[in-house]
Amino acid sequence: MTKFLSAFSGNTLMARVLRSASWLMLSFGGAQALRLMSNLVLTRILYPEAFGLMALVSVVTIGLSLFSDIGIGPAIAQNKRGDDPAFLDTAWTLQLIRGFGLWGGACVLALPVAHFYGEPALAYYIPIAGIASAITGFAPMKIETAHRHLLLGRLTVLELIAQAIGIAAMVALALATRSVSALVLGGPLQALARVILTHYFLPGPKNHFRWDPEIAREIMRFGRWIFLSTALFFLTSQGDRLVLGRFLSMEMLGLYNIGYFLASFPTMMGHAVTNRLLIPIFRDRPAHEAEANFRKQRLLRIGLLAGMAGTSILMSLIGPALVGIMYDPRYLPAGAVVVLMSCALVPTALGMTYDQAALAAGDSRSFFLYSAVRAVAQVGLILVGAIWFHLFGAIVAIAVAQFVAYPVLVWLARRHRVWDPVTDMGFFVLAGLGCGFALWLHWPVLAELPGAAGF
């Protein structure tokens, strides 16, 4: 036990990695626990259609955010000048400009989106939700500095407090209004709490308006491929709702959103850990420089893959029972979504443990190329699946798209000398067996999904 605890102490890279991984897991686990509690409360106050409307609001606001991401966080994490006050202040100024631009974009898109989906209320809800982007623009660069140096303890606590404040506000508003407006206002209120808490209670210098043209160009050069990659990530993370919003009723879309929320827990955990943890590891301990580095990265990948895939398969096994215990009878069809979506998301774990190697090396172009293939494959297949096999086909398409993009992922991994085919093959075999058993076990439930009869 003493030897185990000693691994977490000191200021070595491995000690900071272990501590940061623990904080990231705590941050993610705490955030998801709060989201789950709010979800359970709000589903008893509001109706399924409210969650369908909120899903469409989120598609627009998240889409705007991802379509304008210039990679400020990764730029600070990998750049040698990432601690320079001039670099941080210029990055903060860029972030602020972007935040208000996003709010303006939400206002411009509100009416066209409301018309496209035939939901007039979206014209009001989308601009209100967009306020969160403007508020987030004021977030201090102390947040990114903490991630750069893997010092995440206090930041984790502050972000969980901010989330709790936003959730408490949503529940109070839901009780008062019984309207989807409670869900819409929760985002801006949580963003405001996060900015205030990190500004006053996170250590580090304050940011000021500053514009260094050379630094701005450097960030933009690095971020141009991040911009395109995150725009494509919108299609992989929100493309399902973008398409299904045209095929499903608001009630069914709300049920799908509940099922996706539960099924995506392991994938979201993977993103939370890998996006912040792997860049410093790949940056400071390149696998090609020493066999010991490769072995350590292999062990880390095995742990991450086992955690993500194992949790996804567990969710697929207990999904219907979990929905039956936590939700009222109106939401029972979401159980089948949990089973199928959990299995469909399992292959995404491979990409999350490779793609950060490109960003760590400053190769945002390769990251973009992989993201492009994955996004185009996923949206195209979801559309085809929805047309031919409705909801069932759209979910299966998410899994198929990961296999289509895998050769490009291998190319990226080999380019940066981190590919580990032995681990990949073991993952495919074990994950396939686990998912196959879950699908066989719950086929009577899955058969009730729209479009399942065609399989």
Side-chain angles (χ1 to χ4, degrees), residues 382-399:
I382 286 175
L383 183 59
V384 171
I387 292 172
W388 287 359
F389 299 105
H390 211 267
L391 179 58
F392 191 95
I395 298 176
V396 170
I398 294 174

Side-chain angles (χ1 to χ4, degrees), residues 354 370 405-416 419 424:
Y354 277 141
Y370 166 64
Y406 181 71
V408 182
L409 180 64
V410 171
W411 165 79
L412 180 150
R414 292 188 64 184
R415 179 181 176 87
H416 295 282
W419 188 40
D424 287 8

Side-chain angles (χ1 to χ4, degrees), residues 24-48:
L24 285 168
M25 295 292 289
L26 177 62
S27 174
F28 177 81
Q32 294 308 303
L34 288 171
R35 284 187 66 197
L36 179 58
M37 286 189 291
S38 70
N39 193 271
L40 294 176
V41 173
L42 291 168
T43 52
R44 284 162 172 76
I45 300 172
L46 303 174
Y47 41 90

